[in-house]
Each structure stands twice: as C-alpha cells, then as structure tokens.
C-alpha cells in the first residue's frame, strides 16, 4: 500500500470561489527584493523631482534649526565658531543626504593622526585638535569583519572600514574616528547580503510608488494633446483609398482646411462632408493624481504639504497637524539617531574649541516648529502672567524671591528670543537685583526730605484716590508714518501706553517712582526694535499695537501690589490706534523702536481711552 501524504491548510479555504487554494489569484503575490543599483539611484536623484525631494527634505529639516548649547555666552561663542570653521552643519547635511540616497555615509574626524586604524583618543585632543571633517559615502568605505564580542562597545559593527584612496592605496579606519549615518537601517545584518553594516537607500521602498505617480502624471500630460479631436466624415472614404492620387488629394485637402481654420477659425468643407468634435474630460484626473501623490507622501513619511509645497485644502484638511507630527518625528530622530552617532564628534569638537571639557556643558536640539508672531506674543504674555503670579500679584504673598524670579525670567527671554537685545542690555544696566540708587539719587532724596516741612507728610496729597498711570509716546511721527503706510485711518490724537487704570482708591505715594527701576533718560523708557508685535482689536478699539516689555509689566504689577486694582482681565502693554474699520490681515505690525515719556499720574476719567 502506497504512502498517503495529507496537506493541512491552517487558513480559510473556499472550494467554490477557490479562495485559499492553489487557484486563488492572490496566491501568486509575494514580496521579492530587487535592489536598486547605484546607477538607478543616481539617475532617479538627478532626473526626477520626487526622489530628490524625498532624499533632501528630511536631511535638510533635521539640521535646519540646528541646536542650542547651554553654557556661558563666551563658551557658546567659541563652540559655535569651531562649528563654523569646520562647517559642521553643512557636513552633517551632506552626510545625511548621501546616507539617505546610497544607504550609508560617514563623517571622518580628521585629527592629523598618522595611524587611522587605532582608536581615537578623545581625551588627548587639545585646542584646535580637530583639523577637518570629511564626508565619505558607503561607495567609498568598505566595511570589514564584524565585531562579534558582546562585551565590545562596537558589537555588531565592523572592526574597521577600508577607504580606497586614489587607484591603489587602501587605508583602514577605526570606527571610533567615524560618525556613521544610515539610510533605512537593516533589521538583521546576518540576513542581508552585500554591504554589511550599511542600510538601504530610502528610495528602495518607495520607488514603486514614485514610478506609479510619475507614470500617472505622464499619461495625464499626454492626454492634453488629445483633449480635442476633430472628426470629419467623408463619403466613400474607404472605397477611394485604393487610389494613390486620392490619398494625396485628401491629405492636401485637409492640410489646407486645417491651415484655413488656424488662420481665421473657418473650416472649409464640401457640402456632403460632416464635421464634429470630441473633447476629453479631465474632471476626475486631478483627484487620481492627488491619490498617487498621497501614496508617495505616505511611503516617504513626509506630509504632502511639505513634499509638494502646497497648502492643505478642503474641510478635512490637516496640514498643520501633519507637519507637527512630522517635526515631532524628526525631533525624535535627532535624539535617537543623530545624538548618539555624533557623540564622539561632539566631545572632540568641545575640546578642539575650548581645550578642555566643562562638566556642565550640553546642548539641546532647537525646536523645528516655528511659531507665528501672535503665538510668540501669547507665549510671552503667558510667561509674564505666570511670573507676576509667582511674584505675588493682586495683593498675594510672593511664592519666589523677586530677584531669583527676575534672573530666571531674563534667562528664559534670552533663550527664546522674546526680547531682542535683552542680554546686551542686562550686561550694560545690570539685573533687577543689581539695581541700586546712585549717590546722586541718595543725595537728592536726602535734600528733598530735609527741605520738606514735617507736616507735609500727612498732607492731602497722600489721601487715597483713583489712579490712572500712563506713558505718552515720544516718537509719535514714526508710528504715524507707519500707520499711514498701512492705511490705518483716524489715528487717536494722544498715543500712549496705559500702565494702571484703578478705580479703587490708592495712596499714590505707595505706587513708587519708575526711576527706581533702573537708569532712565529724562524719565523716558526705550522699547528696542523687534520682539513680538501684533495688531489686534481690544475693547472699543478696532486696532491696537501690542508689544512686549518686561519693565512695563513689572511696573504694572508693582503698583497693583501697592493696592491698585486692575479692572481688565490680564495686562498687556499696548498702544491704542483707531476705532475705524481696518483690515487687520493686511497690516504688518510696527517693529521699530518705541520711545515713551515719563509716567503721568491722574485720577480715573471714564471718558479717556486706555
């Protein structure tokens, strides 16, 4: 009796439809790896826009905002100068592009050592020790034997790389002297043929989607030439084609007809001939092409708004959220891939720039998502409100020492760039904790107290009254010129900044003097150019110029702590402009300097515009 072999299928099988059997149409579908050659990759990158953008965009975005070193200003300057000398940012971008295109690349840390096969001793690098940085692709570096020692720092990586120099010379380079960048990493190098330790080109997995999109676009382009077809019916046409003279006459006849039609739009036909036109419809073709481009966008993991350079359209458009997710992924890639890969290079860079390695020196990748001017102003206002709350606003006890809070706030504003020139101003005028009255101020105060009669201390001037404090704008002409240039009509006559508007009575003397907040020029206050500025409606004004000023905010809070009220939710320094109708979308905020005069104390007048 013969052996019987039974084949068991652990899957859904339908003998009627042949699903799951050998006759299933899907049974022949399988994945096969067909590697793209270097010539194909180069041709795609050089001749087609989609492959080039897929390679370049993430590489560029990963270094676009670069990074922020956390240290003293002079140390940061030295490190950034060293980065510029070595063109580090450009070298990383070049390496990322080559890695994404070819599957791998490396940055060689050139220290002038003769023996490149030995490990790089970072601790021995002194000031100026990094001589150059050279980008090498995986086509120039051949990976050697893999390190199989689990205790080795380079486990799973080649023990050395071989660089082919010129036509004959070969140089071995230790992996500690290289910053390795990969395209699409291999899941398991033991299952991959070819170049060990290198990845795949990012175009390998998206090339089919690219070809389909390019093919669809090419077919749509060819249809343009068939958009309109002229059809002419000629009596006895087929029967007459056997005559060669007839062929020549018919070609000459309709060549002349087309020529006449092209000149004056008149088509000359015989009475018995019939003429009609057929037009191709392109109504659904844009949607078809968009679908293919969306597939490319998903395959490349790049939002369509970034890949195609177009704004999202439609009710369900999510361009902003897609971009945020994309930048979040790039930020994670910077932390997970780029930071570890660049660790040795960064350590060598610090020593080359400073001659030593400060223990507290580090960097953070700068945010990739750029905020609008309004978002910057909102963040600034949020930080200022939080600082006022910590300082004990609205009569509450302070939660933090005011000097410590001021130092932290200055550092925050310097780092995020909310107040351009703040760091230089602090160096010139000092911090809040360093503000002390000058000898002239002390002498003047002593003379004033000595000259004043004792009974004046209890005069009616100290009786609590409502309080309105403002600073009038000094450089009115500059702001008026800006307003006229942007079509802002009916500018208010008295441009000013309201500091406090308190209907609650207060002893004005307790409100203090603004001059105690630092050096002043005839009581004037200069708001430097730049920083967050927005033009928005506020109260009964259709347009006000909002700007950032920590000194005005602190002055407002000081008077509030002295007992004044603030009848409006939140406080934001601003200059009221007009009540007339204006198109705010077309107005670019005034970004020049704002010069404010000394503080003016008055009682509250509800008819005044604040």
């Amino acid at each position: 009796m013969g052996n019987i072999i039974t084949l068991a299928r652990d899957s859904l099988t339908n003998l009627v439809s042949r699903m799951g059997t050998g006759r299933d149409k899907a049974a022949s579908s399988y994945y096969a790896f067909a590697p793209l050659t270097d010539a194909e990759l180069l041709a795609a990158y050089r001749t087609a826009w989609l492959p080039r953008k897929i390679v370049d965009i993430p590489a560029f975005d990963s270094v676009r905002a670069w990074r922020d070193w956390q240290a003293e200003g002079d140390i940061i300057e030295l490190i950034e100068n060293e980065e510029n000398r070595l063109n580090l940012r450009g070298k990383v971008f070049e390496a990322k592009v080559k890695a994404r295109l070819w599957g791998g690349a490396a940055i060689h840390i050139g220290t002038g050592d003769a023996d490149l096969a030995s490990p790089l001793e970072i601790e021995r690098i002194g000031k100026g020790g990094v001589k150059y940085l050279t980008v090498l692709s995986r086509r120039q570096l051949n990976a050697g034997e893999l390190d199989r020692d689990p205790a080795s720092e380079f486990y799973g990586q080649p023990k050395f790389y071989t660089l082919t120099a010129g036509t004959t010379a070969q140089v071995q380079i230790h992996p500690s002297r290289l910053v390795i960048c990969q395209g699409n990493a291999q899941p398991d190098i033991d299952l991959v043929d070819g170049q060990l330790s290198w990845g795949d080109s990012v175009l390998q997995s998206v090339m089919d989607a690219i070809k389909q999109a390019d093919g669809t676009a090419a077919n749509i382009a060819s249809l343009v030439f068939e958009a309109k077809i002229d059809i002419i019916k000629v009596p006895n046409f087929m029967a007459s084609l056997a005559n060669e003279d007839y062929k020549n006459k018919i070609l000459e006849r309709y060549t002349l007809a087309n020529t006449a039609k092209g000149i004056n739009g008149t088509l000359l036909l015989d009475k018995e001939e019939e003429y009609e036109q057929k037009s191709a419809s392109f109504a659904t073709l844009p949607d078809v092409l968009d679908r293919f481009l969306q597939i490319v966008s998903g395959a490349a993991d790049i939002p369509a708004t970034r890949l195609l350079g177009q704004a999202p359209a439609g009710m369900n458009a999510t361009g902003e959220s897609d971009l945020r997710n994309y930048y979040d992924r790039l930020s994670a890639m910077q932390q997970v891939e780029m930071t570890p890969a660049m660790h040795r290079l960064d350590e060598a860079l610090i020593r080359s720039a400073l001659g030593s390695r400060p223990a507290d020196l580090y960097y953070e990748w700068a945010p990739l998502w750029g905020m609008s001017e309004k978002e910057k102003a909102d963040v600034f206002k949020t930080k200022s409100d939080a600082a006022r709350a910590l300082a004990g606003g609205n009569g509450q006890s302070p939660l933090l020492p005011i000097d410590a809070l001021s130092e932290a706030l200055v550092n925050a504003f310097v780092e995020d760039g909310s107040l351009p020139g703040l760091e230089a101003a602090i160096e010139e005028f000092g911090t809040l904790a360093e503000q002390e009255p000058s000898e002239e101020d002390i002498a003047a105060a002593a003379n004033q107290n000595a000259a004043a009669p004792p009974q004046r201390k209890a005069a009616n001037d100290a009786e609590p009254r409502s309080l309105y404090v403002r600073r009038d704008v000094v450089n009115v002409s500059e702001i008026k010129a800006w307003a006229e240039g942007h079509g802002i009509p009916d500018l208010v006559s008295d441009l000013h900044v309201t500091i406090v508007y308190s209907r609650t009575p207060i002893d004005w003397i307790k409100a203090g003097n603004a001059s105690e907040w630092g050096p002043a020029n005839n009581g004037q206050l200069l708001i430097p150019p730049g920083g967050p500025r927005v033009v928005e409606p506020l109260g009964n004004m259709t347009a006000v110029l909002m700007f950032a000023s920590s000194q005005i905010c602190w002055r407002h809070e000081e008077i509030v702590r002295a007992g004044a009220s603030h009848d409006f939710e939140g406080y934001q320094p601003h200059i009221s402009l007009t009540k007339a109708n204006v198109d705010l979308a077309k107005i670019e905020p005034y970004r020049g300097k704002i010069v404010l005069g000394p503080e003016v104390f008055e009682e509250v007048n509800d008819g005044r515009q604040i």
Side-chain angles (χ1 to χ4, degrees), residues 291-349:
R291 290 292 182 180
F292 278 99
L293 291 176
Q294 287 179 14
I295 293 175
V296 174
S297 173
D301 209 0
I302 303 174
T305 51
R306 182 71 179 93
L307 179 63
L308 307 179
Q310 65 182 21
M315 295 180 61
N316 297 320
T318 57
E320 181 173 327
S321 61
D322 291 345
L323 278 177
R324 286 186 181 272
N325 293 335
Y326 166 67
Y327 287 135
D328 288 344
R329 183 181 66 82
L330 281 186
S331 297
M333 183 267 291
Q334 289 173 334
Q335 297 291 340
V336 175
E337 296 180 11
M338 296 179 64
T339 298
M342 295 174 60
H343 173 70
R344 286 187 180 81
L345 172 58
D346 290 335
E347 292 297 316
L349 175 74

Side-chain angles (χ1 to χ4, degrees), residues 53-68 88-100 107 181-182 302 306 326-339 342 363-369:
K53 295 189 76 170
I54 290 172
V55 170
D56 289 353
I57 285 177
F60 175 76
D61 287 342
S62 64
V63 300
R64 172 174 53 83
W66 201 226
R67 53 190 183 177
D68 299 321
L88 175 60
R89 196 171 174 183
K91 298 293 184 180
V92 173
F93 172 63
E94 181 184 352
K96 293 289 293 182
V97 168
K98 290 184 176 179
R100 291 178 61 81
I107 302 176
C181 301
Q182 293 193 7
I302 303 174
R306 182 71 179 93
Y326 166 67
Y327 287 135
D328 288 344
R329 183 181 66 82
L330 281 186
S331 297
M333 183 267 291
Q334 289 173 334
Q335 297 291 340
V336 175
E337 296 180 11
M338 296 179 64
T339 298
M342 295 174 60
Y363 69 85
E364 295 177 351
W365 292 99
L368 296 173
W369 180 263

Side-chain angles (χ1 to χ4, degrees), residues 388-455:
R388 283 195 291 271
L390 293 173
N394 296 326
Q396 301 296 322
S397 300
L399 301 178
L400 292 175
I402 191 68
D403 292 339
L405 183 61
S406 174
E407 293 280 354
L409 202 60
V410 166
N411 290 335
F413 289 154
V414 168
E415 288 299 325
D416 62 21
S418 297
L419 297 177
L422 177 61
E423 188 172 15
I426 291 296
E427 291 180 358
E428 180 177 356
F429 301 113
T431 62
L432 182 62
E434 298 169 346
Q435 299 298 319
E436 297 181 356
S438 63
E439 295 182 0
E440 292 80 2
D441 292 337
I442 296 175
N447 294 333
Q448 183 177 1
N449 291 335
Q455 64 271 19

Side-chain angles (χ1 to χ4, degrees), residues 459-491:
N460 292 334
D461 288 345
E463 181 180 352
R465 291 174 289 173
S466 63
L467 177 58
Y468 168 57
V469 182
R470 74 175 191 277
R471 281 182 179 266
D472 294 328
V473 176
V474 175
N475 59 330
V476 174
S477 59
E478 298 178 15
I479 297 180
K480 281 188 175 181
W482 161 80
E484 292 175 358
H486 286 77
I488 302 178
D490 301 332
L491 207 64

